[in-house]
Amino acid sequence: MQDQAAGARRGCAWSEEEDAQLVEGVREGLALSELAERHGRTTGGVHARLDRFVLQSGSAVDDPLDWLRSRLAADPGYAWREVGAERRLRERHERHRGHASTQPRGAAAASLTAEVLADWEHVTGHVLRPERREVFLAREVVHDLAAKAVAVRRTAARRLWHDSQVLLLDHWLLECVCPGAVRLTADWPLIAERDADTVLVLRELVAAAVGEMPAERDREVLSRRMGLDDQSAQTLEKVAETLGVSPERVRQLQTRAIRRLAKSDAPASRKLRQVLAELSCVQRIPPEAGPSAAERLLDLSDVLLPSVTPRQAIPLLARLAGADKVRADNLAAEASTIRILRHESARREATQERRIERASRRWEALASEITWFGKPEPAPHRTELGTLREQEKTDRGCFGVWHCPKLGRDVSYESETELRVIQLLSFAPQIAYYQEQPLAISYEFAGQQRTYYPDLLAATVDGRCVLIEVKPVYEMAMAINVAKYRAAEEFCRARGWGLVATDGYRTRRLLEHRTVDPRLETALAAALDAQGELTWPQVITAADSLPLDTLGLGSLILKRGWAWHSRPYRLRPAPPSNGPRTPSDPVMPALDRLPAE
């Protein structure tokens, strides 16, 4: 019977109890063959198991039994369990990174990890005992921290210690990768209110998670499909054309990349999945309080992936939040129904007097923020207006359609923010009519000539014309949006029209006139002069202990003319000016009677 039990254990995983008994046998001085007989294992299996409790900070150990026996005799409290647990995490992490866990550490690597230990002791004020130092230095996360820029690493450590008087290594690494991510909580009201600081960190976390993926093709496919790196989300056909493969192959690559992202052990990926699971409540049916999982995913898709259609974004976010494919698809279908119900509710409110009164007050406040250029000129007649980008939106799938009672037709929109402004224009009595994407303006960005389609043109009842650019306030300082706004300014100046950039409540002037600590401006300007470009971790490092929020940073960018590129975020100095440039004549349907420039 004992032989049968021993045979059954051969090749089976070791339990915690067996590990403890194995180490106790080492303390007793048993030989390798005696340990194997006691546990019903082969001598090779016992040798491999003992090797897992050996620190891997130096060269490989030939005889782990001898090493462990000597170590336990010198240090009876040796943390062999922690070493084994760290070994498991390191092997899993390195499998994803694609290199062997037995890679030797050179003198340079040892010096860098010693710097990480010195930083930890300096910030926390604690000094580790020699045996604890060995465990600390053997951890894989310490080697990852050693690879980070010294200034970024030290600033992250100070911020975490200041916030919580705790400096956990995993949190430290995450703070280096995506500053602010450690403090992200599942506070749904911040998402519902589109809190600027929360949105910035969440978006950077998405970009950081994609950037951590080891395979370049995975990163490229997800970046293009999710609209990262200063680009709008691309269709399967567009990505296929760029990569030289079929659309079906792109779909397969995307599915594989999402599956890998959902299993990645990298710090930003783990945090992203945790935050999405808590915010979306996909694993709680029904959620404990607040909106349903489908409603939450609908709003999260608008916040995190604004250029991706909800029918594509919601299943992706649901999978990352822990839902299986069937549940993710069901949540996407439920979210589509919720969007329809929201629109029907808004249409019913159109007959309610208080909705019109609210819209009137909101438009009056917004009108005071409009920038007017020259002598006011009238708007084109509504029969002369049309949507120039309709075909393009049809090709890539528009976000939604809302029936406007004022215009008596359906109006397409590309984000929930744009829908909010469309509804404002529909109910505000000061607006006679409006048109979505009525014209095309040429502008230059990143050395290329591009075409910009202003979101809305509104004609007021007193005969004036306003171009409205719809953007969340935290996106208005982005380099590409600044380039679009300047082109729109030149266009409106030539025609006596008004211009405003808004999210329906706040405008660009909020950033332009915001007061910012001058010490912060000096610190960021000095860092830009020294480095030429700052990543998001480097921006936080430059700010150090100075207060920094998203709107304050946006204000500085607009005032100083800096360039702010998105997802991942990069801050660059003001580009060299070639003098004012008048954009080429815009394309506009049937506007021959417009005043000449």
Side-chain angles (χ1 to χ4, degrees), residues 26 127 320 379 403:
V26 174
V127 178
L320 293 179
H403 184 80

Side-chain angles (χ1 to χ4, degrees), residues 302-325:
D302 183 52
V303 168
L304 295 182
L305 304 173
S307 65
V308 183
T309 59
R311 62 184 175 82
Q312 296 169 346
I314 290 174
L316 187 156
L317 295 176
R319 292 298 301 275
L320 293 179
D324 58 29
K325 186 178 185 304

Side-chain angles (χ1 to χ4, degrees), residues 159-279:
R159 287 167 61 86
L160 289 176
W161 185 256
H162 178 269
D163 289 344
S164 60
Q165 297 298 296
V166 174
L167 185 55
L168 302 177
L169 295 181
D170 290 332
H171 287 180
W172 190 3
L173 179 60
L174 177 60
E175 187 70 9
C176 291
V177 173
C178 181
V182 173
R183 293 178 294 279
L184 275 178
T185 59
D187 191 350
W188 181 253
L190 293 177
I191 299 298
E193 296 164 8
R194 306 298 195 267
D195 176 72
D197 294 326
T198 302
V199 170
L200 182 147
V201 175
L202 270 173
R203 288 187 175 183
E204 181 67 8
L205 189 59
V206 172
V210 173
E212 288 174 334
M213 303 187 74
E216 182 180 354
R217 174 150 285 197
D218 289 345
R219 295 195 301 270
E220 183 171 9
V221 169
L222 285 185
S223 293
R224 292 181 179 278
R225 293 289 285 144
M226 297 168 71
L228 307 182
D229 294 311
D230 283 325
Q231 60 186 348
S232 296
Q234 297 180 1
T235 62
L236 289 173
E237 291 74 17
K238 179 65 175 177
V239 178
E241 179 183 346
T242 303
L243 300 183
V245 296
S246 69
E248 175 59 21
R249 180 55 180 159
V250 173
R251 188 195 63 76
Q252 294 171 355
L253 291 172
Q254 176 183 311
T255 301
R256 183 190 68 180
I258 293 171
R259 185 167 59 248
R260 289 175 173 175
L261 186 60
K263 295 179 179 178
S264 172
D265 283 329
S269 303
R270 291 201 310 268
K271 182 64 177 183
L272 177 63
R273 295 198 301 271
Q274 174 200 333
V275 171
L276 287 178
E278 293 175 354
L279 285 173

